[in-house]
Amino acid sequence: MLENDIERILVSETEIIKIAKRLGKQITKDYQGKKPVLIGLLKGCLPFLAELIKHIDLYCEIELMGVQSYHGGTESTGNVKITKDLDVSVEGRDVIMVEDIVDTGRTITGVLDLLKYRGATSVEVVTLLDKPEGRVKVLTPKYIGTTIPKEFVVGYGLDYQEFYRNLPYVGILKQQVYKK
Ligand code: PRP
């Protein structure tokens, strides 16, 4: 059903699991002896966060923060809104922000500045997808799953008007779906 709206699969479920294993291993190595806090940015982060943490072998905490920038459309509005703030302090903590996609970079830079302002010792970004052609803010996430072209993608957490997040892969949405 949902797959009828998909032009083609860009990153398969098998590839995503491989990515999560690779990044989880790397994070485990880089944060040896530390107890980082992973902050997932809702809602898109959820499937990737769930897969990634299985491959991190550290005493790490998991927190969630609600941030929105697209407001249902296909392009970021540039208006980053916090819909759910953190329940914990990040002061003196090593923070790893977990994202499904970095596109313009507005969401992540907005939150990054906030967490630094709140006294985090370090803040790094892990993202399943990076879309560098969309960038308007200078930012290179430390941990990147895979780089994708400037296409509107859905699935594995990414939505169009709140749908498609439950697809087990990342795919390009057929233009006819959003150009009605
Ligand atoms: C999406 C995605 C990232 C952000 C990336 O979130 O999950 O957080 O956009 O875009 P940017 O780099 O251009 O800022 P969205 O605001 O759609 O909220 P969602 O996670 O609830 O889907």
Side-chain angles (χ1 to χ4, degrees), residues 42-44 68-70 99-101 103-105 107 159 165:
L42 294 168
K43 304 171 205 167
Q68 241 182 13
S69 67
Y70 279 62
E99 264 291 25
D100 49 351
I101 186 166
D103 185 358
T104 64
T107 306
D159 74 307
R165 294 191 198 274

Side-chain angles (χ1 to χ4, degrees), residues 29-100:
K29 199 171 149 219
D30 293 352
Y31 285 82
Q32 274 305 303
K34 293 182 177 167
K35 292 179 178 169
V37 51
L38 273 79
I39 300 182
L41 302 191
L42 294 168
K43 304 171 205 167
C45 74
L46 288 174
F48 180 55
L49 176 69
E51 187 56 44
L52 179 72
I53 57 175
K54 294 185 211 166
H55 309 289
I56 297 178
D57 188 10
L58 291 169
Y59 292 96
C60 60
E61 290 170 46
I62 293 147
E63 295 293 336
L64 297 167
M65 193 170 176
V67 193
Q68 241 182 13
S69 67
Y70 279 62
H71 309 297
T74 59
E75 275 177 44
S76 167
T77 57
N79 199 355
V80 178
K81 184 175 145 202
I82 295 185
T83 53
K84 182 202 171 296
D85 205 347
L86 289 170
D87 300 321
V88 295
S89 163
V90 291
E91 202 178 339
R93 301 300 307 270
D94 291 302
V95 173
I96 305 172
M97 283 197 275
V98 184
E99 264 291 25
D100 49 351

Side-chain angles (χ1 to χ4, degrees), residues 81 104 121 131 140:
K81 184 175 145 202
T104 64
T121 301
K131 202 196 267 185
T140 308

